[in-house]
Amino acid sequence: MEKIRKTRVLITNDDGVGSVNLHALALALSEVSDVYVFAPEDEQSGVGHAFTIRRGLRVQHIEAVPGKAKLPYEVFSVSGTPADCVKFAIGHFANYGLDDNTIVPEGFDVCFSGINVGENSGVSSLYSGTVAGAREAALWGVPAVALSLRGLKGNLLQVAIDFARKIVSENLFKKISKGVFWNVNFPKVKDDEFLGFKACTMDSGMFTDHYDHKDGLWFLDGEKLWSKAPEGSDDNLLDKGYATITPHRIDQTDEKSLEVISEMLGSDDFTSH
């Protein structure tokens, strides 16, 4: 009788390979899938979609984590960003492994990035290393989900883990369109204040960024204006107590602007010399 192939899951994050949340997610998903973790050696929060090109990457196979028995999933640390981790895992490891002793997964079915400590809704998603990990997977055609917690209040970590497990066990990742990934955020509320999940748009409201001058250096500070988020946007719903699911597209082309630019290029004023 032919053995049924398990779903192959790639997990990354921007909090680093030692993240408790990452290993909690990997352990839960290892019960229903084959899990491969490729995560940064150290924290990479706020690096966005940066990747390494002018120096080599150090990739190390980690067989055990302090305080834990042998892991039921594969873990690799990478001396780079979340985008580096996913790019290497999908572009190289899935095809060639690391050495002759490596079991090559031959592709991944779905990628999870997280579970991040700190929200990545609204414009936070544009700066986020966590979201970039999911975006990188989508660039390679792998369905991807970014998972972030606004805070550690209540039992929302377990809610996030259960959500990811459901995505895998019920093959819901197949509902993610090509060129799209899901950005999922969980609120900072008590268990009895959690209102469930909502599909929503991304808020584009900016932070109140400013810089403080100290000892000859400038330090960034600021906050998000949650109360001004548009009704029904991810920031708005997250602040109310919902877990938000926002589909992001790889193609960022603005169709209306294409028309404006085409008209501009076709005008006599533009083409005359």
Side-chain angles (χ1 to χ4, degrees):
M1 184 175 178
E2 186 178 355
K3 184 179 179 181
I4 299 176
R5 182 180 73 78
K6 285 187 176 182
T7 299
R8 291 188 289 251
V9 175
L10 170 63
I11 299 178
T12 192
N13 73 352
D14 73 1
D15 287 327
V17 71
S19 165
V20 173
N21 288 3
L22 176 141
H23 288 283
L25 175 64
L27 181 61
L29 294 186
S30 70
E31 297 174 357
V32 293
S33 61
D34 289 330
V35 174
Y36 295 81
V37 172
F38 279 80
E41 284 184 351
D42 47 28
E43 185 178 349
Q44 296 287 320
S45 297
V47 300
H49 209 113
F51 65 98
T52 305
I53 192 171
R54 291 184 176 84
R55 59 178 174 81
L57 290 173
R58 177 173 54 254
V59 180
Q60 296 178 301
H61 186 200
I62 298 176
E63 296 185 2
V65 174
K68 293 182 179 293
K70 182 175 174 59
L71 300 172
Y73 48 90
E74 299 293 330
V75 181
F76 299 86
S77 68
V78 181
S79 62
T81 67
D84 281 323
C85 294
V86 175
K87 190 182 291 289
F88 182 86
I90 298 176
H92 180 86
F93 179 80
N95 297 306
Y96 310 108
L98 287 182
D99 51 46
D100 293 337
N101 297 320
T102 305
I103 298 176
V104 180
E106 298 180 354
F108 296 101
D109 298 302
V110 60
C111 173
F112 291 94
S113 189
I115 300 169
N116 189 65
V117 178
E119 55 84 13
N120 281 312
S121 58
V123 296
S124 299
S125 64
L126 302 177
Y127 299 100
S128 167
T130 299
V131 174
R135 187 186 300 113
E136 180 68 29
L139 283 168
W140 289 86
V142 176
V145 181
L147 300 168
S148 302
L149 302 172
R150 185 179 177 186
L152 297 176
K153 206 171 185 178
N155 198 37
L156 270 297
L157 172 60
Q158 188 59 51
V159 173
I161 291 172
D162 292 344
F163 171 79
R165 181 168 175 144
K166 184 179 182 69
I167 291 292
V168 173
S169 61
E170 298 183 16
N171 291 322
L172 299 179
F173 58 86
K174 293 182 179 180
K175 294 182 178 292
I176 302 176
S177 302
K178 187 174 182 179
V180 171
F181 64 96
W182 293 353
N183 183 29
V184 185
N185 286 271
F186 296 84
K188 184 180 180 180
V189 294
K190 296 177 181 178
D191 295 341
D192 60 356
E193 297 173 335
F194 178 54
L195 300 177
F197 290 82
K198 284 278 190 179
C200 55
T201 58
M202 171 187 160
D203 178 24
S204 58
M206 189 51 177
F207 297 97
T208 60
D209 282 355
H210 62 272
Y211 287 82
D212 296 323
H213 196 211
K214 182 179 180 181
D215 299 328
L217 300 174
W218 294 94
F219 295 87
L220 177 63
D221 197 1
E223 59 185 16
K224 189 176 281 188
L225 298 176
W226 296 94
S227 63
K228 294 188 177 181
E231 189 70 27
S233 67
D234 54 358
D235 281 342
N236 171 259
L237 292 172
L238 186 65
D239 196 44
K240 288 181 176 180
Y242 290 97
T244 59
I245 305 177
T246 304
H248 286 225
R249 292 190 306 174
I250 294 299
D251 183 357
Q252 300 180 65
T253 307
D254 182 67
E255 300 294 338
K256 291 184 178 180
S257 293
L258 274 181
E259 298 176 9
V260 172
I261 294 170
S262 295
E263 290 178 6
M264 176 188 74
L265 295 177
S267 69
D268 292 338
D269 290 341
F270 195 90
T271 56
S272 60
H273 299 281

